[in-house]
Amino acid sequence: MTLNKSSDKEIKHGITKKEFIVFFIMLSVLWMILQTANFQINPCYKNDNFRDTDSFMRMVRVDELHGTNNWYDSTIMRSDAPVGETLHWSRPLDVMLLVGADVLSPFVGFNRGLEYWAFVMNTLLGIFALAAACWALKPYFSRMSRFFAAVILTLSFGFFGMFVLGDPDHHSLLLTLFILQIGILFRMLKKEYPEYYSIVGGVISGLAIWVSIESMVTVALIFACIGLAWIVYGRFYLNRLRKYSLTLLVSIIVSIALERTPSSWLVWEYDKISAVHAILFFVVFAVISLMYVCNKYCNTLLKRILNTICGLFTLIIVLILWVPKLFHGPFVDVNPAIIPIWLDKIIEMQPLYKQGFQYMLSVTATILFAAASAVIWFVGGHFKQSTEKSELNPFFVFIIGFFVFFTLTVFQIRWNGYMFLILYLMTAVGVAIVTEKVSKIQLKAVRTLLNAAVLVSVILIPVACSAIPISNTTVSNDSIDYPTRDLCAWIKNNPNIFKSGDIIDTEVNYSPEILYRTNLSVIATPYQRNADGILYHYNLMNLKDDNQIKHMLKERNVKWILVAKPAAKYTGKSCFYSELLNNKTPSFIKETVISDKLKKYFLVYKVGSSMINNER
């Protein structure tokens, strides 16, 4: 049977618990081998040991937290210099990196310990995520299903690519928390599990929202599934939803208290956990509590549907009147001027249809495999088993989740990790059902042949879908092979030329690594809150008048300008950027001599402050 039994002792055609543990250890070793191989061959790491801009910026945050011990002040003064930049990120991942670095610091020092731990933490978290996926499926699915889930996730780049080496990024942590929330959701749906899972779920969901606001989509999925179970099967589920929403509200309030200073507890921000989210979940809890009070009159399906409609209507009206900007998403306060010149060009913000034929083919194949598993599930009679127990069928969680995250992925590719995870889990369940059916065939030759076919399929399914170019990076394709690390080493090795704190203006994708590897300050960084810095660099590069250029450079006391040579010949309009590429600069800017290796990729210019002052 694919539905898990509470005893889980009779494994006539499956695998024992000890065998499962041995297989999982072997998969964990394979996981590390594959991740190491990916690090060796992936062009993202050709010139560095970290994957992208977010990795370097996270390292800067953690290093400054360690240096200042100021938990509440996350402003990076060397970014968007001389003003300083405050990111939309929160502290949980900083703590994970800081703890690992502190453990290693007695042996290799803090800085080296931080770099070592940041390099491997993401991949080790992936092993935990694999174990979490096996745990998440336990309430409804057999040990064989969980085994195949671990195998498929290990071999599927849609999951594998979220946990690569050298990528200390919060997206992998979010995916891990998503898996835990799915496991909690299954336990909230299954009546034999105690109600404290509703409380545990609220805590985990609160932590996930603290890590990133995008986790509110997962919370909405939980509300939708438990709410649907209540509509169909009655009061039992509404009580669990009430406890979940209350614990979630408390977790949100505690998170705000931990993340922010008391003076900013009432500040409204939409891209980071704040009072506005406490208001949201207070209203949600109040509405659910009101529905719970009215539930005693809702003894029929129609009445529960009407109760739900009234509750949703009340929720929406109150939120529209109280926090209307909430409906515009986390980017509601982003300066519109940076959308066409930067935000719309980020890889993870691109829509699905722009990913190319190979990507679309891989997505289609993954969906078809999962759809086949859903058909096998329903045709095999497993749907009836859940219905007879007055429990929402677990495959509805997969189906609802898939449509939610597929819709989001259509508009922004950054949601694909959640979608692929759901599809992989569905596929694993289908493979397990087929395996169990095959194991009952009496003819040994036929059984062996079919088992071999299933085994090959388990390997080929994820491999066939692994052409998917998953990426969380904001680095453009043209900049992947640029030796930024060598450039930073050259800057650091010339302290007589580059003074600590000197401001260098460069393109957004190079600023985070310069911040991490040197003592220079930067202006533009690839984050939505740094609209002033992004616009400054963009406007400066597009100027034509020398006096205007001079004025802008003096405005921020810029000492250096770094230009990365484009992969293809620049054919755009004549402007300050084109003058820098052609070394036809104003008299107050002089090219700095660098090595031939670096000159192939970069141009470095010194801004003469004395010449600027003399030519006013």
Side-chain angles (χ1 to χ4, degrees):
M1 303 297 291
T2 299
L3 278 175
N4 191 30
K5 294 183 178 297
S6 57
S7 63
D8 204 17
K9 293 180 180 179
E10 298 182 6
I11 313 291
K12 184 176 180 181
H13 302 292
I15 58 176
T16 66
K17 186 175 182 179
K18 290 183 178 179
E19 289 173 339
F20 181 86
I21 293 173
V22 172
F23 280 131
F24 187 84
I25 293 173
M26 294 171 63
L27 279 176
S28 299
V29 174
L30 176 61
W31 172 269
M32 295 304 298
I33 292 173
L34 292 175
Q35 290 286 7
T36 303
N38 176 64
F39 174 75
Q40 296 294 329
I41 65 175
N42 195 320
C44 288
Y45 305 101
K46 185 174 181 180
N47 292 297
D48 219 312
N49 56 342
F50 287 112
R51 178 170 167 173
D52 63 13
T53 55
D54 285 358
S55 302
F56 293 110
M57 207 64 174
R58 181 68 68 172
M59 298 286 279
V60 172
R61 272 177 60 94
V62 176
D63 188 53
E64 293 207 351
L65 175 59
H66 174 261
T68 63
N69 288 319
N70 193 334
W71 173 270
Y72 293 111
D73 185 8
S74 60
T75 301
I76 302 172
M77 294 306 300
R78 292 192 300 124
S79 183
D80 192 22
V83 180
E85 176 182 7
T86 303
L87 295 169
H88 62 287
W89 295 344
S90 54
R91 285 300 190 193
L93 186 60
D94 296 343
V95 172
M96 292 175 63
L97 287 165
L98 194 62
V99 169
D102 283 339
V103 170
L104 295 176
S105 60
F107 308 99
V108 294
F110 177 81
N111 291 332
R112 187 62 60 87
L114 175 60
E115 191 157 319
Y116 287 165
W117 175 240
F119 180 72
V120 300
M121 185 192 73
N122 199 45
T123 299
L124 296 177
L125 182 63
I127 296 176
F128 177 80
L130 286 173
C134 297
W135 170 84
L137 294 174
K138 186 177 180 180
Y140 285 103
F141 304 105
S142 68
R143 188 176 291 134
M144 185 65 77
S145 297
R146 286 150 19 219
F147 167 73
F148 283 126
V151 173
I152 291 175
L153 291 176
T154 299
L155 298 175
S156 300
F157 197 73
F159 181 83
F160 174 93
M162 298 291 289
F163 297 93
V164 293
L165 289 166
D167 190 22
D169 186 65
H170 65 274
H171 291 95
S172 53
L173 178 58
L174 289 174
L175 191 63
T176 304
L177 291 170
F178 172 73
I179 294 171
L180 292 175
Q181 289 175 92
I182 292 297
I184 291 293
L185 174 57
F186 282 146
R187 286 158 176 79
M188 290 172 66
L189 287 172
K190 200 168 180 65
K191 293 182 177 179
E192 66 186 59
Y193 280 86
E195 292 200 358
Y196 70 73
Y197 279 105
S198 301
I199 298 173
V200 174
V203 173
I204 295 175
S205 294
L207 174 61
I209 293 174
W210 184 10
V211 174
S212 176
I213 298 306
E214 71 179 53
S215 293
M216 289 200 300
V217 176
T218 306
V219 172
L221 174 64
I222 293 174
F223 277 117
C225 291
I226 302 298
L228 179 60
W230 170 70
I231 290 173
V232 178
Y233 299 112
R235 183 185 185 93
F236 173 83
Y237 288 108
L238 190 59
N239 185 46
R240 289 197 167 187
L241 197 60
R242 183 172 62 97
K243 292 182 178 179
Y244 170 78
S245 61
L246 174 59
T247 311
L248 175 58
L249 172 60
V250 173
S251 299
I252 292 293
I253 294 173
V254 171
S255 299
I256 293 172
L258 290 174
E259 178 71 26
R260 297 174 173 275
T261 60
S263 61
S264 63
W265 283 352
L266 299 181
V267 171
W268 288 20
E269 292 180 338
Y270 294 88
D271 60 353
K272 182 178 180 179
I273 192 168
S274 69
V276 71
H277 303 103
I279 292 172
L280 166 64
F281 290 107
F282 169 76
V283 175
V284 169
F285 170 69
V287 170
I288 291 177
S289 298
L290 182 61
M291 292 172 62
Y292 185 79
V293 171
C294 298
N295 185 61
K296 60 183 178 181
Y297 305 107
C298 302
N299 52 4
T300 65
L301 177 65
L302 179 60
K303 290 180 179 179
R304 287 194 293 272
I305 292 175
L306 291 175
N307 192 357
T308 303
I309 293 173
C310 292
L312 288 174
F313 180 78
T314 303
L315 176 66
I316 293 172
I317 293 299
V318 171
L319 292 178
I320 288 176
L321 294 175
W322 202 348
V323 282
K325 291 173 69 175
L326 189 67
F327 292 91
H328 296 278
F331 294 112
V332 63
D333 289 329
V334 170
N335 188 331
I338 67 171
I339 295 176
I341 65 174
W342 170 71
L343 191 60
D344 284 346
K345 297 179 181 180
I346 299 177
I347 294 174
E348 62 183 28
M349 301 297 290
Q350 300 302 308
L352 181 61
Y353 73 89
K354 288 188 177 182
Q355 302 309 306
F357 174 76
Q358 184 182 18
Y359 188 98
M360 297 296 295
L361 185 63
S362 298
V363 171
T364 303
T366 308
I367 292 174
L368 289 176
F369 283 128
S373 295
V375 172
I376 292 171
W377 170 271
F378 284 100
V379 171
H382 299 284
F383 174 80
K384 185 179 179 181
Q385 296 174 30
S386 293
T387 305
E388 290 175 347
K389 295 181 179 180
S390 297
E391 294 175 352
L392 186 70
N393 190 280
F395 242 76
F396 279 121
V397 174
F398 290 146
I399 293 171
I400 295 172
F402 165 71
F403 280 109
V404 168
F405 289 107
F406 175 75
T407 302
L408 292 172
T409 302
V410 167
F411 293 99
Q412 291 181 351
I413 202 65
R414 69 192 181 96
W415 297 97
N416 56 12
Y418 302 95
M419 178 189 72
F420 285 128
L421 175 67
I422 292 172
L423 293 175
Y424 295 149
L425 296 181
M426 291 173 66
T427 302
V429 172
V431 171
I433 295 173
V434 172
T435 302
E436 292 165 7
K437 297 294 183 183
V438 168
S439 65
K440 298 176 182 179
I441 297 176
Q442 298 299 319
L443 293 176
K444 184 177 180 179
V446 175
R447 188 170 67 245
T448 302
L449 182 63
L450 291 176
N451 277 329
V454 171
L455 180 62
V456 171
S457 298
V458 169
I459 296 174
L460 290 183
I461 286 173
V463 171
C465 300
S466 288
I468 302 170
I470 302 299
S471 177
N472 290 325
T473 180
T474 57
V475 179
S476 66
N477 292 332
D478 291 342
S479 65
I480 289 176
D481 294 335
Y482 282 44
T484 316
R485 183 175 188 171
D486 294 338
L487 175 70
C488 292
W490 174 73
I491 292 174
K492 196 170 183 179
N493 290 333
N494 288 276
N496 294 329
I497 300 176
F498 297 93
K499 306 298 183 181
S500 178
D502 278 359
I503 297 176
I504 184 170
D505 178 70
T506 187
E507 197 263 334
V508 295
N509 292 326
Y510 300 100
S511 294
E513 186 166 1
I514 291 173
L515 278 177
Y516 175 64
R517 298 202 183 280
T518 75
N519 292 321
L520 298 183
S521 299
V522 301
I523 297 176
T525 55
Y527 304 102
Q528 71 264 17
R529 289 195 176 189
N530 191 8
D532 290 343
I534 294 171
L535 291 173
Y536 177 89
H537 173 74
Y538 178 81
N539 292 332
L540 176 64
M541 291 296 111
N542 282 278
L543 289 177
K544 296 181 180 180
D545 183 77
D546 287 356
N547 289 326
Q548 291 180 326
I549 295 171
K550 188 191 310 178
H551 175 76
M552 285 197 69
L553 292 173
K554 186 179 180 182
E555 178 184 311
R556 294 224 182 193
N557 195 25
V558 175
K559 301 293 186 181
W560 302 93
I561 298 174
L562 170 66
V563 178
K565 294 182 179 179
K569 185 177 180 180
Y570 176 76
T571 57
K573 64 180 182 179
S574 176
C575 57
F576 186 41
Y577 174 70
S578 65
E579 290 180 352
L580 292 171
L581 289 178
N582 297 319
N583 201 14
K584 298 178 179 178
T585 59
S587 59
F588 50 85
I589 296 175
K590 298 295 182 182
E591 183 179 5
T592 300
V593 178
I594 58 179
S595 68
D596 291 338
K597 177 185 177 181
L598 292 176
K599 193 170 184 178
K600 180 181 178 181
Y601 300 97
F602 301 106
L603 292 168
V604 179
Y605 291 94
K606 169 69 174 176
V607 179
S609 57
S610 59
M611 289 182 284
I612 287 181
N613 292 331
N614 292 334
E615 295 186 21
R616 291 182 61 181

